[in-house]
Amino acid sequence: MKKTIFKIGLLQSTLFCMSGLYAQNSDSLKTSKIDEVVVTAYGVKKEKKALGYSFQDVKGQTLVDAKENNVTNALVGKVAGLQVIKGGFGPGSSSRINLRGFNSFGGDNQPLIVVDGVPLSNGLGSKVKQNGKDFNNDFWNPDLDMGNGLSDLNPDDIESVSVLKGGAASALYGARGGNGVILITTKTGKKKGGIGINYSTSLGFENIFMKPDLQHSFAQGSNGLSNPTGVDNTSSWGPAFEGSDMTVHDNLKNFFRTGTNTQHTLSFQENLGEGASLYTSANYLSSNSQIPNSKYERFNFMGKMNANFGANKKWTTEVKAQYMSVKGKNRPSGGQGDGNYYPQILLMPQNIDVRDYREGQMQNEVTSRWITSNGINPYWSAYNSLNEDKKDRFLLNGYLKYQFNSWLNADVRLGTDFYSLNSDARVWTGSSRKNSYSTSQEKFYENNYIASLNAKKDNIVGKWGGSLSVYGQMMESRTKALYFTTQNLILANVFSTTNTSDLASLTTTEVDQWKKINSVFAAGEINYDGYWFINATTRNDWSSTLNNTNRSYFYSSISTSLVLTDMLKKLNGTSSKVLTFAKLRAAYSATGNSLGPQQLYNTYFASTDPTGHITLTRNKILFDSNLHAEKLKTFEVGADLKFFDRVSLDISYYNNNATDQLIAIPINPLSGYERKMINSGGLHNRGFEFVLNTDIFKKENFTWNVNANFSTLQSNIDKIDGNITKYALGGYDTVGIFAEVGRPYGAIYGTKFLRVEDPNSPYFGKLIVGTNGLPIATSDSQYLGDQSQRALFGFTNSFNYRNFGLSFLIDGRIGGKFFSSTQNALQNAGLAADTAPGGRRDNFVLDAVVQSGNSYTANTTQITQQDYWTAVTTSGGNLGINEQNIYDATNIRLRNIQLSYSLPKSVFQKVALQSAKIAFTANNVWMIYSKSKGIDPESVFAINSNAVGFENLAFPTSRSYLFTITLGF
């Protein structure tokens, strides 16, 4: 007997099968073995060769070896078409997943996450959407980022990750699978030598990965001179360091510390005999970030039991309980307000050492002591602007199956995802910030109940065989949250919501979002002689968030797979030693993105005016009760090829067409509303994907494996609504990010340098400056680029020599743009490298013209570097002339290096050890190529927004080094 782990959709089942079936691939990352039997959505059991869509796995050990705190980040570069977008606020930051581009203007755009059959809420950031149906991505004071759902998981518990990208792969999940599905399979008990106990411990260190390109030639001051007595300007437009007794200080290095990361994992797994197995584990992670006084902790416990019982072992069951406790302490804040203290460090003149302002600032209630009278000491902020949060989460599931006979079975599955999140934030007295307090509580649950009847039989009519599965499902989810914020405390530093001197400064927000979906669906297959397969799915949902007329909606898919090599061999005995396997596949599906809670009917908010009269306030958005879910139609064709029985190549072409977008278009404010929700608009995403896996060299003592993936993306907005050609995805000051007809997703708009636009003018294209010789911003917003990548790739080399292992991953993104607010701030302060070209600040004359009426004359006015950059960074708004700070997001990096050594058994054969391994891992090792002048292109300001082409004073990303010891008993 051989134990095989079958991957399924909403539940995971360990079945015991005859040795003719194949277990999951042992390589760290590749598509499954061609003849492997896999189970995809909802337990539909299929041979790999029968799948009409692309199917890619990531082995769990790969995620463990990457040593990322957030398992989401360990997927970077490992799956074709998968992009990970990261937040930039410490070890507990969120990371979002995007598969094959953005499919929705306003939706989440993330794939559905399923862990052992339980959908896992992968919400980003912290607070749920509130009254305006938007997250708080405020330019000045955004919400804290408290991590995404996947960041709660322990990578050591994961057996494998299966990525379903095509619509046909995820069609059985209905609207929730519209953006793809990621199936996570946790470990089960296995019979091993010894007592089945494994212990691993790791110690890691982190420091700054990238720093903005700075000038190191000029000190604090203005116009080349030091500040006069009594002037506390912190700009770096002062005298040169050369020839002075001043010292250049690296204040980023001086302020940020070397972060430490420790982790302990203890697991027990055992086959208990008689068809029963047990797996339990406990994990503790503690990360003291490079950010002072910031800490992230996570505790995970999991217990999972599988069993076959009853007469002839016809009953199969699985029960799992997973508990996660996550604590965050003093997570850094973003934005340009006083809550973000990073700008105080970044923009500090380099002739001043930030450590001179550390003494006495790390206690509560002390007065902030800083360079400027109105500035806030970053040490004071780190120890007096505090926040804490704690999340307790449970993933529970149960599964029961009965095998009636060799071709018919029935099963029942149930699961729940529940968490409770409590947080508070406190600002002590001692600075210009208000003495304030806020606290919140969020509770979320999602329950799923599923029953199915499954039949499968070969050779029903001649060489024709088939299968059919019929399902019923009930899903219920609910989010309840309560947020309190108070300022102007009566008693200083008494942090209570009742301790407020002015009721107007007390803000209370309550959220209650409830949703139910009932579903029936089916999956069927017909096959001919084991080489031609046709699969179809159909699903009907009834959603509580739609009205009675539109509540019922229908999805379907069809896919086919033709194994050419098997067909030729069976028809005429033809085979090839070169092309050992060849399969063609095609798939079409209709899925969608469902409507969220409370987006159907118009409501009012009750309050009182200053005289005590009751007032009712409308929501900002006018809802329409006739709204329905978005639609996503996908088409995919591909081929699976294998050469010499060792080189595997998977090729896919996909075309996604999303229509009936749920968008809130602007309307006349005299109506009492700002926007109106409608179904309209559409977009296309198309591209190619390639996955290559081969053992370049394979001998008894040495192997060299290469796994590479490459994907392209061509995105285009087809329609908005009527005369509307642009739809806002997000906007910050003068920079706006839009879905615009005829352009890729995420068109970036902002001001440009004013230029001569008359093509008949001899000065066509030249800058127009004022009589002072300084550049001028355009009065209107213009197209600056788009945030969509054109391609993604990952290239992994793995070497094994005897007991040594070495692997490294190079990955990259090609194309797309982003705006950097950090560069704008550095230029304004005179710290950006561009403000001192070649280490000098010579006066210069811009190659430009001066406009007088309809005529132009050559510019001859000499200007200083300070005058120029002041004009560039302040003209038109807080973000200056936006064109200046649009950067190419293309980047290539050495993402990860892993080196390991497994001790030979002869070393510990006289002790209880069964195995011992030591390993070294480094992440974010080297930025091989980037044109963003020291800003990490992965830094995103608003992680819970689809407007990801905007960077705004994000804390520097980190490089980490980890040492791990793993012992098996």
Side-chain angles (χ1 to χ4, degrees):
M1 298 286 287
K2 180 179 180 181
K3 184 170 62 176
T4 300
I5 298 175
F6 288 105
K7 300 172 286 297
I8 65 177
L10 282 187
L11 197 66
Q12 200 69 28
S13 175
T14 300
L15 303 178
F16 296 87
C17 306
M18 301 304 294
S19 60
L21 300 182
Y22 289 83
Q24 182 176 301
N25 202 325
S26 61
D27 291 326
S28 63
L29 169 68
K30 57 166 67 178
T31 52
S32 301
K33 289 181 179 178
I34 297 302
D35 48 2
E36 179 187 358
V37 173
V38 296
V39 181
T40 57
Y42 297 101
V44 179
K45 187 164 53 178
K46 295 193 177 297
E47 293 178 275
K48 179 61 169 36
K49 65 182 182 181
L51 300 180
Y53 48 82
S54 60
F55 187 95
Q56 210 171 339
D57 283 350
V58 179
K59 190 69 173 175
Q61 190 59 43
T62 302
L63 308 179
V64 173
D65 292 342
K67 291 300 174 185
E68 292 276 7
N69 290 342
N70 189 334
V71 70
T72 315
N73 300 335
L75 295 173
V76 176
K78 295 180 174 65
V79 179
L82 184 147
Q83 181 188 19
V84 175
I85 303 166
K86 300 180 181 180
F89 297 99
S93 294
S94 296
S95 294
R96 68 183 295 161
I97 300 174
N98 183 247
L99 287 172
R100 294 181 171 178
F102 290 79
N103 292 315
S104 174
F105 294 169
D108 180 56
N109 279 299
Q110 288 202 104
L112 175 67
I113 309 297
V114 179
V115 181
D116 286 338
V118 180
L120 175 77
S121 173
N122 196 33
L124 303 165
S126 57
K127 296 180 181 178
V128 295
K129 291 186 178 182
Q130 299 180 39
N131 296 340
K133 304 305 176 187
D134 293 317
F135 291 103
N136 174 22
N137 292 315
D138 183 71
F139 178 71
W140 296 100
N141 296 294
D143 281 339
L144 293 175
D145 181 357
M146 297 186 189
N148 60 310
L150 275 176
S151 66
D152 296 342
L153 297 181
N154 170 27
D156 288 272
D157 288 332
I158 297 175
E159 182 73 27
S160 68
V161 175
S162 300
V163 182
L164 309 182
K165 294 173 284 190
S170 55
L172 273 183
Y173 293 96
R176 307 185 73 197
N179 296 308
V181 181
I182 293 182
L183 308 178
I184 296 178
T185 304
T186 60
K187 294 177 180 177
T188 56
K190 297 179 180 179
K191 181 65 177 178
K192 290 189 174 183
I195 57 178
I197 293 178
N198 275 274
Y199 171 73
S200 70
T201 181
S202 64
L203 173 64
F205 305 92
E206 70 171 26
N207 53 27
I208 295 176
F209 172 51
M210 293 183 68
K211 298 178 184 178
D213 294 346
L214 304 179
Q215 61 84 9
H216 304 291
S217 303
F218 296 91
Q220 181 184 20
S222 182
N223 297 313
L225 301 174
S226 299
N227 289 334
T229 303
V231 175
D232 56 8
N233 173 32
T234 57
S235 294
S236 294
W237 295 106
F241 283 105
E242 186 177 354
S244 74
D245 59 356
M246 294 183 291
T247 301
V248 180
H249 297 281
D250 186 343
N251 284 314
L252 290 179
K253 180 181 178 181
N254 292 343
F255 181 83
F256 291 100
R257 62 189 181 184
T258 298
T260 59
N261 181 302
T262 58
Q263 189 166 181
H264 303 274
T265 301
L266 181 66
S267 66
F268 170 77
Q269 55 181 321
E270 188 62 69
N271 188 333
L272 303 178
E274 297 298 322
S277 64
L278 175 67
Y279 175 85
T280 61
S281 72
N283 171 270
Y284 174 71
L285 166 70
S286 176
S287 178
N288 290 292
S289 169
Q290 62 182 349
I291 302 168
N293 204 33
S294 180
K295 186 174 183 178
Y296 174 78
E297 291 181 286
R298 186 184 68 214
F299 174 77
N300 297 74
F301 174 80
M302 182 178 129
K304 184 176 182 180
M305 185 170 183
N306 303 80
N308 293 87
F309 61 94
N312 299 319
K313 302 293 184 183
K314 288 189 174 183
W315 291 93
T316 301
T317 187
E318 175 183 286
V319 179
K320 189 198 77 171
Q322 203 166 351
Y323 169 68
M324 294 150 275
S325 176
V326 180
K327 297 180 182 179
K329 178 182 177 183
N330 303 327
R331 299 179 189 260
S333 176
Q336 299 218 358
D338 289 337
N340 183 3
Y341 58 82
Y342 175 58
Q344 302 289 341
I345 312 155
L346 177 67
L347 305 179
M348 191 172 185
Q350 294 172 91
N351 58 294
I352 302 174
D353 189 341
V354 68
R355 292 172 296 185
D356 293 340
Y357 292 85
R358 179 174 57 187
E359 190 67 29
Q361 294 292 294
M362 294 180 285
Q363 294 83 34
N364 297 140
E365 289 188 272
V366 298
T367 301
S368 173
R369 175 176 59 87
W370 191 233
I371 308 167
T372 60
S373 57
N374 60 347
I376 304 176
N377 187 311
Y379 289 107
W380 184 95
S381 294
Y383 290 87
N384 284 271
S385 178
L386 308 177
N387 62 79
E388 290 186 0
D389 59 85
K390 185 177 186 296
K391 181 194 293 184
D392 293 291
R393 187 171 205 149
F394 294 88
L395 275 177
L396 308 172
N397 69 272
Y399 168 73
L400 182 65
K401 172 186 172 182
Y402 182 74
Q403 188 76 37
F404 294 100
N405 51 45
S406 62
W407 59 272
L408 182 67
N409 66 74
D411 58 45
V412 177
R413 305 170 171 90
L414 56 91
T416 185
D417 174 20
F418 166 80
Y419 72 77
S420 175
L421 172 64
N422 296 282
S423 65
D424 66 55
R426 310 176 181 203
V427 179
W428 292 72
T429 56
S431 76
S432 57
R433 295 193 67 188
K434 292 183 178 180
N435 186 201
S436 61
Y437 173 65
S438 64
T439 184
S440 66
Q441 183 182 72
E442 300 175 18
K443 291 186 177 181
F444 166 86
Y445 73 82
E446 178 178 319
N447 296 328
N448 282 274
Y449 311 93
I450 307 160
S452 69
L453 182 66
N454 312 286
K456 181 179 180 180
K457 194 171 181 62
D458 292 328
N459 304 319
I460 299 175
V461 179
K463 295 182 179 181
W464 292 93
S467 65
L468 178 66
S469 297
V470 181
Y471 305 84
Q473 178 180 357
M474 295 185 295
M475 187 281 288
E476 177 185 12
S477 68
R478 189 171 190 177
T479 302
K480 295 196 70 174
L482 197 59
Y483 306 102
F484 292 96
T485 300
T486 182
Q487 298 183 5
N488 302 326
L489 299 177
I490 299 173
L491 300 175
N493 302 322
V494 176
F495 298 104
S496 169
T497 54
T498 60
N499 181 34
T500 178
S501 60
D502 184 357
L503 292 178
S505 68
L506 177 64
T507 303
T508 304
T509 304
E510 184 174 9
V511 177
D512 191 356
Q513 299 179 355
W514 200 354
K515 183 175 183 177
K516 291 185 177 182
I517 298 178
N518 294 330
S519 310
V520 292
F521 46 101
E525 174 190 285
I526 58 174
N527 69 82
Y528 180 76
D529 202 16
Y531 61 78
W532 184 29
F533 306 84
I534 300 175
N535 292 277
T537 68
T538 182
R539 178 178 176 122
N540 201 92
D541 289 342
W542 289 265
S543 173
S544 66
T545 61
L546 299 173
N547 67 23
N548 291 332
T549 304
N550 297 325
R551 182 160 293 169
S552 173
Y553 49 99
F554 177 80
Y555 297 107
S556 62
S557 75
I558 187 168
S559 64
T560 184
S561 167
L562 177 63
V563 184
L564 296 175
T565 46
D566 286 0
M567 180 183 71
L568 294 174
K569 187 174 181 179
K570 290 186 177 184
L571 292 179
N572 55 26
T574 303
S575 62
S576 171
K577 293 183 180 180
V578 177
L579 183 62
T580 52
F581 183 87
K583 182 185 83 171
L584 301 179
R585 49 185 167 79
Y588 175 81
S589 69
T591 55
N593 293 306
S594 63
L595 191 68
Q598 300 176 358
Q599 295 186 7
L600 200 61
Y601 301 112
N602 299 298
T603 57
Y604 294 83
F605 302 96
S607 60
T608 57
D609 62 17
T611 62
H613 294 94
I614 297 175
T615 61
L616 296 177
T617 305
R618 289 189 177 99
N619 196 308
K620 298 178 182 179
I621 302 176
L622 175 61
F623 292 118
D624 183 349
S625 60
N626 294 315
L627 292 176
H628 54 266
E630 299 176 350
K631 297 178 181 177
L632 177 63
K633 299 178 181 179
T634 67
F635 172 72
E636 176 184 339
V637 293
D640 297 340
L641 307 173
K642 195 166 188 178
F643 303 92
F644 305 105
D645 222 17
R646 64 186 298 175
V647 180
S648 299
L649 178 63
D650 186 310
I651 304 171
S652 302
Y653 169 78
Y654 66 90
N655 190 324
N656 297 344
N657 182 21
T659 60
D660 287 345
Q661 296 285 302
L662 290 162
I663 55 178
I665 61 172
I667 59 176
N668 191 329
L670 294 178
S671 65
Y673 299 92
E674 296 178 2
R675 294 176 289 166
K676 177 183 178 181
M677 186 72 78
I678 64 170
N679 276 115
S680 186
L683 63 91
H684 259 97
N685 288 321
R686 60 180 67 87
F688 289 91
E689 294 174 348
F690 304 88
V691 179
L692 173 69
N693 186 83
T694 180
D695 288 323
I696 293 181
F697 191 89
K698 188 172 184 179
K699 295 294 182 180
E700 182 179 354
N701 293 325
F702 178 73
T703 61
W704 175 14
N705 177 266
V706 171
N707 190 284
N709 66 80
F710 179 82
S711 63
T712 67
L713 173 65
Q714 184 180 353
S715 169
N716 185 70
I717 307 300
D718 301 322
K719 173 186 175 184
I720 304 296
D721 178 66
N723 296 323
I724 298 176
T725 60
K726 288 198 303 184
Y727 177 77
L729 303 174
Y732 310 95
D733 200 70
T734 52
V735 177
I737 300 179
F738 300 88
E740 182 183 15
V741 174
R743 296 196 188 275
Y745 190 96
I748 305 173
Y749 272 75
T751 56
K752 283 188 172 183
F753 289 92
L754 189 64
R755 290 181 172 87
V756 178
E757 297 183 354
D758 182 4
N760 298 317
S761 171
Y763 299 106
F764 176 63
K766 280 192 174 291
L767 291 180
I768 298 175
V769 297
T771 55
N772 57 4
L774 297 175
I776 303 169
T778 55
S779 58
D780 61 336
S781 185
Q782 301 184 27
Y783 179 70
L784 301 175
D786 67 83
Q787 67 183 29
S788 292
Q789 78 276 7
R790 302 304 186 261
L792 299 170
F793 69 88
F795 182 72
T796 302
N797 277 271
S798 300
F799 304 89
N800 287 281
Y801 176 70
R802 296 185 184 275
N803 294 339
F804 290 92
L806 171 66
S807 70
F808 62 89
L809 166 64
I810 296 175
D811 72 279
R813 162 186 174 158
I814 301 172
K817 306 284 186 181
F818 73 100
F819 178 85
S820 174
S821 175
T822 299
Q823 284 289 357
N824 184 79
L826 289 168
Q827 292 157 4
N828 181 263
L831 272 171
D834 290 341
T835 65
R840 300 173 59 86
R841 282 185 171 162
D842 299 328
N843 293 348
F844 65 103
V845 176
L846 275 176
D847 182 13
V849 295
V850 178
Q851 184 174 12
S852 178
N854 293 325
S855 62
Y856 304 96
T857 58
N859 172 49
T860 58
T861 304
Q862 193 175 77
I863 58 175
T864 66
Q865 290 284 344
Q866 181 175 352
D867 289 339
Y868 173 79
W869 288 106
T870 299
V872 168
T873 57
T874 60
S875 296
N878 293 302
L879 299 177
I881 304 176
N882 307 141
E883 179 186 6
Q884 174 64 44
N885 288 307
I886 291 290
Y887 295 94
D888 186 355
T890 298
N891 68 96
I892 302 171
R893 71 183 75 200
L894 178 56
R895 175 76 59 176
N896 176 274
I897 293 178
Q898 299 167 20
L899 177 64
S900 65
Y901 176 69
S902 298
L903 276 68
K905 288 188 176 181
S906 59
V907 174
F908 46 80
Q909 61 184 357
K910 294 183 179 180
V911 296
L913 282 176
Q914 297 294 314
S915 63
K917 180 180 177 181
I918 56 176
F920 168 76
T921 302
N923 290 314
N924 260 351
V925 181
W926 174 32
M927 179 62 76
I928 299 171
Y929 176 86
S930 174
K931 289 186 176 181
S932 56
K933 299 181 180 179
I935 303 297
D936 193 334
E938 290 186 344
S939 296
V940 175
F941 172 59
I943 193 68
N944 51 17
S945 166
N946 291 324
V948 296
F950 187 86
E951 180 275 330
N952 184 28
L953 294 168
F955 279 67
T957 52
S958 62
R959 176 189 288 117
S960 60
Y961 311 88
L962 299 105
F963 301 87
T964 305
I965 299 175
T966 304
L967 304 175
F969 297 89

